Amino acid sequence: MPPQNSPVARGNAVPGDKATLDQWLGYLESIHPSEIDLGLDRVLLVLRRLFRRNPAGRIITIAGTNGKGSAVAALEKLLMASGRSTGAYTSPHLQNYNERVRINGADVGDDQLVRAFSRVEEARRDTTLTYFEFGTLAAFVLFQEAGVEDWVLEVGLGGRLDAVNVLDPDLAIITSVDIDHVAFLGDNREVIGFEKAGILRPGIPAVYADIDPPESVLQQAAAQKVQLERPGETYQLVPCDPGIAPAGSLWLEQPRYGDRVLLPDNGLPVHSLAAAVVAVRQLAPELAPSAIEQVIARLTLPGRYEVLQQQPQVVVDVGHNPHAANWLAARIGRREPGAGRVIAVYAALEDKDVEGVACAMAPVVDEWHLAGLDVHRGLSGPELVDRIGGLLPLPAATVSVSVSAAVEEALGGAGPEDMVVIFGSFYTVAQARVSLGRTAP
């Protein structure tokens, strides 16, 4: 997601070492004719100019329709707890580009990014790179300079042709496969699964986090003799006694270790957390189950079922497709009996399956506030009503020109026992966080 406050570069003048980060980000938006241009040839060419040999660190690549960010955050923290130095690359960001690149848990600074951008610019010469490709290579530069031992890399789109996939992983995770980005990845789970399975490599260990993998993923794993860990096959997720942990918590059991790890319901997708734990037990086998549990219990992630206030409770979530909306609806459905109303604030991009999202959320929402998104590809409030108004229960939804206006109206009518859930995209959550005084994750 391009930064929401960066100026668009005028022309293609290189900003230089003394330029600001925003000037560089504007430049990155200007140098390639397409926002998305899947393929590895251009990225690989520039990578070979930047690095004479492959990185010395271990590469962990994480793909999936939903749940990637949670898996990245969990694995990053677990590896750090084991004493490993760690770099994490993730996208998109909520409010500051720096969120995309972390070294040992801390966002890198503007000056570090500008220096890395300058190195990539020098290496690319006349090769065009998209915004995402340029930023990916810059993250690689920073991780290499810092000498981090483990590189935890989130795929931006798909897998097989994503810029992250120019590096061969030592371990791969696929969190889920469902319908999204149809124009680039296809319109069914088998085709999309094939694209995401493109991060696998012959003989490497891998984890598929969800319970129902497409045949295309299983076929690719078998063809490449990948050691594929799967729930229900090599590990089990067993419901936990509510007296021990919150409802929805699970035990992760792996017979080979003769123990189990508690995964509390902390508002993050438990299958992604489980995949991170399964991965770290291979990557850092010395990490004790008790230490793993402590890390997972403390784990939070901005924008992922993030509770911003109480009475009324305000929750923001970046879920933007039906798969994510079904997860969100199920999570809301675990509220205590007799709890107050659920008031939804929803804003989305035009290329998303807003109809599918509305159908998934309608059973748990009592009142709807639809908002416009004044960003590239954003739907206006009236456009959103045209597409989903007939799918929502009466009375008709309230329509606002902006997310901040919708949030204000929703809160104005909410009682202390109600829940206000704000969702639909990273842009939606970013604008909501700003309107509620959360200017940084």
Side-chain angles (χ1 to χ4, degrees), residues 300-319:
T300 60
L301 193 57
R304 279 72 165 188
Y305 206 84
E306 181 185 13
V307 180
L308 297 184
Q309 71 174 56
Q310 299 286 359
Q311 295 185 327
Q313 187 180 66
V314 177
V315 174
V316 293
D317 192 272
V318 297

Side-chain angles (χ1 to χ4, degrees), residues 196-280:
K196 296 190 186 300
I199 68 170
L200 303 178
R201 297 294 190 276
I204 70 158
V207 185
Y208 185 86
D210 216 348
I211 198 70
D212 181 27
E215 282 299 317
S216 56
V217 172
L218 300 180
Q219 289 168 359
Q220 287 298 305
Q224 299 186 59
K225 296 181 170 56
V226 167
Q227 309 161 47
L228 188 64
E229 303 269 6
R230 292 170 51 196
E233 295 290 333
T234 61
Y235 64 94
Q236 306 292 328
L237 294 172
V238 180
C240 180
D241 186 334
I244 296 176
S249 302
L250 298 173
W251 289 110
L252 168 62
E253 298 180 349
Q254 291 180 272
R256 79 187 70 167
Y257 298 115
D259 57 29
R260 57 184 185 174
V261 175
L262 178 64
L263 302 176
D265 179 14
N266 57 2
L268 298 176
V270 70
H271 284 83
S272 291
L273 301 182
V277 172
V278 170
V280 84

Side-chain angles (χ1 to χ4, degrees), residues 346 354-356 358 368 370 383-392:
Y346 179 44
V354 296
E355 295 85 356
W368 287 83
L370 305 181
E383 288 171 332
L384 189 54
V385 170
D386 286 345
R387 288 182 58 176
I388 70 170
L391 302 173
L392 305 181

